[in-house]
Amino acid sequence: MSARRANPHFRAELKKEGKKMNQIRRFANQKHTAGYVFTLPFIIGFFMFMVVPMGMSLYYSFCDYDILSPPVFSGLDNFRHMLTDDTFFQTLKVTFFFAFVSVPLKLLFALLVALLLLKNTRLSGFYRAAYYLPSIIGGSVAVSVLWKRMFSSDGVINSLLQMVGINCTVSWLGNTETAIWVLILLVVWQFGSSMLIFLSALKQVPASLYEAAKVDGAGPIYRFFKITLPLLTPTIFFNLVMQMISGFLAFTQCYIITEGRPLNSTLLYTVYMYQQSFEFYNTGYGAALAWVMLAIIGLITLVLFATKKFWVYEGGF
Amino acid sequence: MMKRTTALLVAAAMTTASLTGCGGNAGNGGDESTNPEVKSSGGSSSDEMVFAWWGNQTRNERTQQVIDLYMEENPGVSIDGQPSQFADYWNKLATAAAGNALPDVIQMDYKYLDQYVENGLLLDLTPYVDNGILDVSDCNQDVIDSGKVDGQFYAVCIGISSPALVYSKTVAEQAGVEIKNNMNIEEFLDTCRKIYETTGYKTNIAYTDNEPFMEYLLRAKDVTLFEDGKMGGEAADYVEYFELYETGLKEEWLIDPAVFVERTKTTELNPLVYGTSPENMSWCTFHLTNQYSVLVGSAAEGNELGMLTWPSDNVKKSNYLKPSQFLAVSKDAKNPEEAVKFVNWFNNSVECNNILLAERGIPVSKSVSEAVSEKLPEPDQEAIAFVNEIVSPNSSKVNPPADAGASGVIDLLNQLEEQVCYGQITAQEAGTRLFEEGNQMMAK
């Protein structure tokens, strides 16, 4: 050992190594390094489970791929096929109807309930939790199954109607006119998360504004439309964008409750995509459908942002 | 400074932890088959086999017992049982195939056999029959042949069943109709009419389980539904099936299709055994014999069930013995010989089948079937007698397995059937569209 240490060559090496260690130490002590290392699990996960699968899906969308045999490049065939696929247009129609009806209804409910829960009473904490509950459990399979039972012709809904004297034997799910509304109702029922966001926004409206308005003789309705609503527009906008996106991506409700029946009147886009990919083994076509959906959602979000300047108030209080 | 170093260490530890977490999953994924080193260190011991099947609660429990028994008898072998529902099973299996991570032992359906063989996903079992590891000498040769594709043996049939029109004896007696085997279509329609007139009970014609019955009707005309990448016969042949619905709709004895949207598709909610009034129940259902005992078990008290052949104008041509399920070994199997040994045991062991109790259909091995049949509950014995005495002497060979593309056609059939039932299109249109559009799909 000592002989080696005496060796000037070895000394130089040791020095070099020491320098290296110093470099590593310096790197490790830099401010942003810990940040990077902490986010590493997410970054690696994001690449493995998001970026790579997305890249593969993009590739498959240009392929004739049936999962079982290897994909064969087929250019734009999948996208061309969409133009002649009646079911594709049907699902677009259903999905747009579903999203454009359920989202505004949901926001309306969320806002109304938020206004009701604004008052601080002893039970308001409980009510807030209670109204938020559907948002947590509403997307689950169990609730979908329950919903399906409730709306069957011998289910709770019809029994309740019969109790109050309306002799109703409508098959809500079996009827092309009503089936989609059952799904919409389930989604609207999950207004909790929008409600919480509204609630916190409502609390930020300064009381002084209301007081000033009261002094000027403005009634409650006038105050709501002239003070509350304008100041809420940024929150409404945020909720609208988020809910619109999730509206277009709704899956569980349709998949569990109706499977698109009757007559494809409730066939949501994502369920059709799933069917094509994994039930009919047209995975390439399914991937193409997914990318078209991405484009559609992107476009709608873009349009929403473009309308922002006409109705969203972004000044201070 | 110290703090920052600690933070860094914590972060590093977290990263490693979460990534090894991912690593376990990734080990089952893509690279496994191309990299033998990864394969052996895939987390589980190298002897671990995966056996995947679809089924119901009863089947899952019995199969798990059988697996436990096998592991007890063969120390060193470890089998991981993975049950699923039928529809999910095929999605899962296809995805696993794409990732080269198929289970070692796969429960196979006749309909899917061709697709899996064509894509080279299954192991050829012929060598194992030749060297005696797989013993099929005790089995009916025709049945064994149903597991062959292009002369090579890929899947061992583990149960036989046949189509059965399960009906309510109670309702039939109430209506005073004479019920018999080998009815022709007109006799069947008369029965439906009479039962509706006298009792109000409706009829469910194979709704959403349509493809086997359509195939059954076509067989009477010597037409094969899926044949060499196209649909057999001509458009007119396909109209008859839809006409049954049209007639039923017009004469009002057809059950409202809304019933099927409202109910989850399980045997227990079949309108034969479940419903609140004759209006939303059916006096019969188109099923297979191996489901008979589940139906009997789900029927309300006082609703006695029986079995008949499906109606056809030529039952001898239409009817067949169906190899209801197969076991196959995947080409990804880590230890094919062990997997084949398990399949052999599953097929030939009386002990094993005493637990399974013919729930997958009548055991194929003659000695096993004889040994087991005494132990079966009554409905299963009835089913065996039905297959052996009524169907077997009056049937023809089963159709070849369907080609790829058939699942799209079956979906089209579902849609057209629904449209006929909702009065959107005529039977004539439905038949023509099924034939034309179906052929386009098959040609793709």
Side-chain angles (χ1 to χ4, degrees):
Chain A
M1 235 355 189
S2 61
R4 275 179 79 187
R5 258 197 200 163
N7 186 343
H9 233 41
F10 183 71
R11 253 192 188 163
E13 228 165 75
L14 209 65
K15 224 177 188 176
K16 237 190 220 163
E17 222 165 78
K19 227 180 192 172
K20 222 188 229 165
M21 276 306 287
N22 267 340
Q23 270 177 349
I24 292 176
R25 201 166 294 149
R26 206 174 305 140
F27 170 74
N29 282 328
Q30 266 170 1
K31 250 188 194 161
H32 50 254
T33 308
Y36 280 131
V37 179
F38 267 114
T39 49
L40 205 58
F42 169 76
I43 293 173
I44 294 178
F46 177 72
F47 269 89
M48 270 171 62
F49 300 114
M50 294 288 288
V51 177
V52 170
M54 274 177 83
M56 283 165 74
S57 139
L58 184 62
Y59 171 62
Y60 291 154
S61 69
F62 294 104
C63 289
D64 182 8
Y65 181 39
D66 66 357
I67 311 191
L68 293 178
S69 35
V72 182
F73 190 78
S74 65
L76 289 171
D77 273 6
N78 286 326
F79 295 92
R80 233 173 269 140
H81 177 64
M82 268 176 227
L83 299 176
T84 57
D85 183 1
D86 292 338
T87 319
F88 166 70
F89 289 106
Q90 168 69 14
T91 59
L92 272 186
K93 210 176 84 188
V94 173
T95 312
F96 269 88
F97 180 78
F98 176 80
F100 280 109
V101 172
S102 69
V103 173
L105 274 179
K106 190 180 191 172
L107 294 187
L108 197 67
F109 260 108
L111 185 56
L112 281 178
V113 178
L115 285 170
L116 286 178
L117 292 182
L118 194 57
K119 266 195 193 141
N120 264 322
T121 62
R122 208 179 297 160
L123 277 178
S124 59
F126 166 77
Y127 280 124
R128 271 171 218 161
Y131 282 112
Y132 184 63
L133 204 61
S135 289
I136 305 174
I137 60 168
S140 73
V141 171
V143 167
S144 295
V145 173
L146 182 80
W147 213 257
K148 185 171 181 160
R149 281 303 303 150
M150 275 170 54
F151 282 91
S152 67
S153 38
D154 54 349
V156 176
I157 300 294
N158 278 353
S159 307
L160 282 178
L161 286 174
Q162 276 160 14
M163 257 189 225
V164 297
I166 304 165
N167 192 14
C168 185
T169 53
V170 177
S171 165
W172 300 100
L173 289 166
N175 197 316
T176 48
E177 303 282 308
T178 53
I180 188 78
W181 289 97
V182 176
L183 300 188
I184 290 175
L185 211 59
L186 176 55
V187 176
V188 171
W189 182 57
Q190 299 158 33
F191 56 78
S193 53
S194 315
M195 176 196 77
L196 280 192
I197 298 172
F198 276 134
L199 208 57
S200 64
L202 280 170
K203 284 190 171 166
Q204 279 172 19
V205 178
S208 57
L209 289 180
Y210 291 116
E211 278 157 24
K214 253 187 213 166
V215 171
D216 289 342
I221 293 173
Y222 202 75
R223 286 203 299 271
F224 174 75
F225 281 105
K226 290 294 170 184
I227 301 173
T228 317
L229 207 55
L231 289 180
L232 269 187
T233 44
T235 318
I236 296 178
F237 178 74
F238 172 76
N239 273 336
L240 186 66
V241 171
M242 297 308 283
Q243 295 298 336
M244 206 51 123
I245 292 173
S246 70
F248 273 95
L249 295 179
F251 177 83
T252 324
Q253 300 88 351
C254 168
Y255 184 66
I256 303 285
I257 301 180
T258 61
E259 291 172 79
R261 289 181 292 174
L263 295 175
N264 290 343
S265 66
T266 61
L267 186 62
L268 294 182
Y269 195 92
T270 47
V271 174
Y272 183 55
M273 199 170 87
Y274 175 82
Q275 287 180 340
Q276 284 291 354
S277 302
F278 299 109
E279 280 173 23
F280 314 149
Y281 291 178
N282 294 325
T283 311
Y285 188 53
L289 285 171
W291 282 90
V292 169
M293 178 56 14
L294 182 76
I296 290 173
I297 292 179
L299 207 67
I300 285 174
T301 314
L302 216 66
V303 169
L304 282 178
F305 268 95
T307 63
K308 200 176 167 190
K309 60 172 184 270
F310 299 111
W311 61 279
V312 178
Y313 172 77
E314 281 183 305
F317 293 137
Chain B
M1 207 51 104
M2 196 55 204
K3 241 183 206 164
R4 206 168 280 158
T5 322
T6 324
L8 201 60
L9 281 175
V10 172
M14 274 168 55
T15 315
T16 343
S18 62
L19 285 179
T20 43
C22 302
N25 286 335
N28 294 330
D31 296 335
E32 216 170 294
S33 69
T34 49
N35 186 347
E37 271 176 36
V38 174
K39 209 161 144 184
S40 55
S41 65
S44 51
S45 74
S46 55
D47 290 4
E48 168 125 321
M49 282 198 285
V50 177
F51 172 27
W53 70 89
W54 73 86
N56 50 48
Q57 194 59 33
T58 320
R59 179 180 302 167
N60 300 349
E61 280 165 14
R62 289 181 190 172
T63 311
Q64 192 54 51
Q65 281 176 33
V66 164
I67 291 174
D68 293 341
L69 179 67
Y70 187 77
M71 290 198 289
E72 211 173 283
E73 286 181 2
N74 299 275
V77 180
S78 128
I79 300 173
D80 179 20
Q82 294 183 353
S84 325
Q85 295 283 336
F86 185 78
D88 302 330
Y89 180 77
W90 297 106
N91 303 347
K92 218 166 103 179
L93 207 60
T95 327
N100 292 321
L102 277 174
D104 304 65
V105 179
I106 304 170
Q107 184 172 318
M108 223 337 104
D109 184 76
Y110 192 58
K111 199 164 78 185
Y112 288 86
L113 182 60
D114 233 23
Q115 279 180 45
Y116 275 79
V117 170
E118 239 169 60
N119 288 297
L121 296 168
L122 302 182
L123 188 73
D124 180 12
L125 300 176
T126 321
Y128 298 96
V129 177
D130 293 342
N131 68 17
I133 293 180
L134 183 59
D135 179 14
V136 291
S137 53
D138 199 22
C139 310
N140 177 323
Q141 195 55 43
D142 276 350
V143 175
I144 287 301
D145 284 349
S146 65
K148 288 186 179 172
V149 177
D150 300 329
Q152 277 173 314
F153 186 43
Y154 289 100
V156 185
C157 178
I158 50 167
I160 309 166
S161 58
S162 75
L165 183 75
V166 183
Y167 75 106
S168 165
K169 278 186 183 161
T170 317
V171 172
E173 266 165 37
Q174 256 177 31
V177 287
E178 188 211 355
I179 299 266
K180 55 178 191 189
N181 274 309
N182 305 326
M183 277 193 278
N184 66 30
I185 294 296
E186 204 43 53
E187 285 166 331
F188 172 70
L189 292 180
D190 279 338
T191 312
C192 298
R193 287 176 192 128
K194 194 144 179 236
I195 285 180
Y196 178 63
E197 278 161 22
T198 49
T199 66
Y201 275 89
K202 301 221 165 182
T203 302
N204 166 27
I205 312 173
Y207 194 77
T208 70
D209 281 321
N210 34 41
E211 176 247 25
F213 185 47
M214 168 162 260
E215 180 186 88
Y216 189 88
L217 290 177
L218 291 172
R219 281 164 62 92
K221 302 175 193 173
D222 294 316
V223 173
T224 310
L225 179 53
F226 299 119
E227 185 182 39
D228 303 329
K230 65 178 178 57
M231 300 179 71
E234 50 188 272
D237 294 325
Y238 291 81
V239 176
E240 180 191 8
Y241 174 82
F242 295 107
E243 270 173 356
L244 297 178
Y245 284 93
E246 211 172 47
T247 314
L249 196 66
K250 207 169 60 197
E251 299 172 359
E252 290 180 357
W253 48 259
L254 186 74
I255 192 164
D256 185 352
V259 167
F260 297 98
V261 189
E262 290 181 354
R263 290 183 197 169
T264 312
K265 196 177 161 186
T266 62
T267 316
E268 290 84 358
L269 294 183
N270 190 297
L272 171 70
V273 293
Y274 179 87
T276 45
S277 71
E279 184 69 16
N280 57 30
M281 290 183 78
S282 165
W283 69 276
C284 68
T285 179
F286 286 74
H287 255 80
L288 292 176
T289 48
N290 63 326
Q291 299 263 298
Y292 181 62
S293 63
V294 181
L295 280 168
V296 171
S298 328
E301 218 162 297
N303 187 7
E304 205 191 326
L305 304 187
M307 248 180 310
L308 297 171
T309 55
W310 287 0
S312 161
D313 288 336
N314 187 337
V315 174
K316 188 167 172 51
K317 277 188 191 170
S318 284
N319 220 345
Y320 54 90
L321 293 182
K322 182 181 162 34
S324 59
Q325 278 160 35
F326 296 85
L327 286 187
V329 176
S330 84
K331 65 143 181 42
D332 297 335
K334 288 163 215 132
N335 191 340
E337 199 172 306
E338 277 304 322
V340 175
K341 275 185 190 160
F342 176 70
V343 172
N344 182 55
W345 182 78
F346 204 91
N347 195 32
N348 289 316
S349 156
V350 174
E351 214 182 340
C352 163
N353 282 283
N354 271 341
I355 297 175
L356 295 171
L357 288 175
E359 193 276 329
R360 284 181 167 84
I362 307 167
V364 179
S365 157
K366 265 194 208 97
S367 52
V368 171
S369 148
E370 276 161 22
V372 168
S373 65
E374 306 152 15
K375 295 209 169 57
L376 294 179
E378 209 196 317
D380 290 303
Q381 296 204 15
E382 233 181 288
I384 293 190
F386 177 78
V387 172
N388 287 338
E389 287 154 31
I390 312 279
V391 180
S392 196
N394 194 27
S395 60
S396 325
K397 197 168 181 289
V398 63
N399 281 6
D403 298 311
S407 52
V409 179
I410 293 167
D411 177 63
L412 177 65
L413 171 56
N414 276 324
Q415 306 235 2
L416 293 171
E417 178 181 80
E418 194 180 26
Q419 288 175 24
V420 171
C421 287
Y422 274 83
Q424 304 259 318
I425 54 174
T426 64
Q428 189 68 41
E429 281 173 275
T432 317
R433 276 187 58 190
L434 180 69
F435 183 73
E436 284 170 3
E437 291 172 27
N439 261 326
Q440 278 171 20
M441 281 182 189
M442 300 283 285
K444 238 195 351 185

